[in-house]
């Protein structure tokens, strides 16, 4: 990890550590939950001596990217303060994200404003997009996954009990 990545990680951890919505996932990867959205904060190297802090929220997975939706997302990109909507073909995922320059000169106010805006926009638009164009919000996917895990664990308990 270069010095700029290290400085970025230290500032992120210092700035967010008191928030109950914040969690460090692993080195250079953090998450913040806002309503039904989850913002992933990733520190990535830029060359050998710089770093970029990428804040990305996955809004909806499994959406059919129709021309009407693509046009609406592009129009929104023209009016949002910063950041941009995007589309990841693998999984048909609508995203919203923004990147800032990391390192020792990274401004904590800019960092928090970036995270807040990405989270608020994601939380505002995930439900709208899912309602109109289909797909599932990230919170729905997490809840479904948690339920599936719970049911599998319960089924294993029953299976083990009946075997013994």
């Amino acid at each position: 990890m270069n010095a700029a990545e290290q400085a970025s990680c230290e500032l992120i951890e210092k700035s967010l550590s008191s928030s109950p919505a914040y969690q460090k996932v692993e080195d250079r990867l953090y998450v913040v939950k806002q309503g039904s959205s989850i913002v992933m904060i990733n520190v990535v190297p830029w060359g050998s001596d710089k770093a970029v802090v990428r804040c990305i929220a996955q809004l909806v997975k499994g959406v059919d990217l129709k021309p009407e939706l693509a046009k609406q997302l592009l129009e929104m990109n023209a009016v949002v303060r910063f950041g941009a909507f995007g589309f990841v073909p693998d999984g048909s995922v609508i995203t919203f994200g923004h990147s800032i320059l990391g390192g020792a000169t990274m401004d904590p106010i800019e960092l928090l404003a970036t995270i807040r805006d990405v989270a608020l926009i994601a939380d505002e638009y995930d439900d709208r997009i899912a309602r109109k164009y289909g797909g599932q919000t990230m919170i729905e996917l997490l809840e479904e996954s948690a339920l599936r895990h719970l049911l599998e664990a319960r089924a294993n308990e029953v299976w083990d009990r009946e075997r013994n």
Side-chain angles (χ1 to χ4, degrees), residues 31-33 35-39 58 61 136-150:
V31 294
V32 173
K33 185 178 180 309
S36 61
S37 69
I38 296 171
V39 178
Q58 296 181 355
K61 182 176 182 172
Q136 291 180 289
T137 64
M138 290 303 108
I139 199 72
E140 290 170 340
L141 287 168
L142 287 173
E143 288 170 353
E144 183 179 286
S145 176
L147 179 60
R148 187 172 39 251
H149 179 71
L150 183 65

Side-chain angles (χ1 to χ4, degrees), residues 22 38 54 98 101 105 116 127 142 144 147 156-157:
Y22 156 81
I38 296 171
R54 300 185 72 218
H98 183 66
L101 184 61
T105 61
R116 183 189 64 243
D127 294 322
L142 287 173
E144 183 179 286
L147 179 60
N156 288 337
E157 285 176 19

Side-chain angles (χ1 to χ4, degrees), residues 121-142:
I121 288 172
D123 190 37
E124 174 70 23
Y125 286 96
D126 60 353
D127 294 322
R128 289 184 188 190
I129 292 168
R131 237 185 343 267
K132 189 168 182 178
Y133 298 101
Q136 291 180 289
T137 64
M138 290 303 108
I139 199 72
E140 290 170 340
L141 287 168
L142 287 173

Side-chain angles (χ1 to χ4, degrees), residues 4 28 30 48 50 59 72 74 77 79 100 106 113 117 119 122 124 130-131 145 158 160:
R28 296 182 290 202
Y30 311 89
S48 61
K50 296 182 195 76
L59 281 66
Q72 282 184 321
L74 287 172
N77 283 346
V79 297
I100 60 174
M106 183 169 62
D117 275 17
E124 174 70 23
R131 237 185 343 267
S145 176
V158 170
D160 290 342

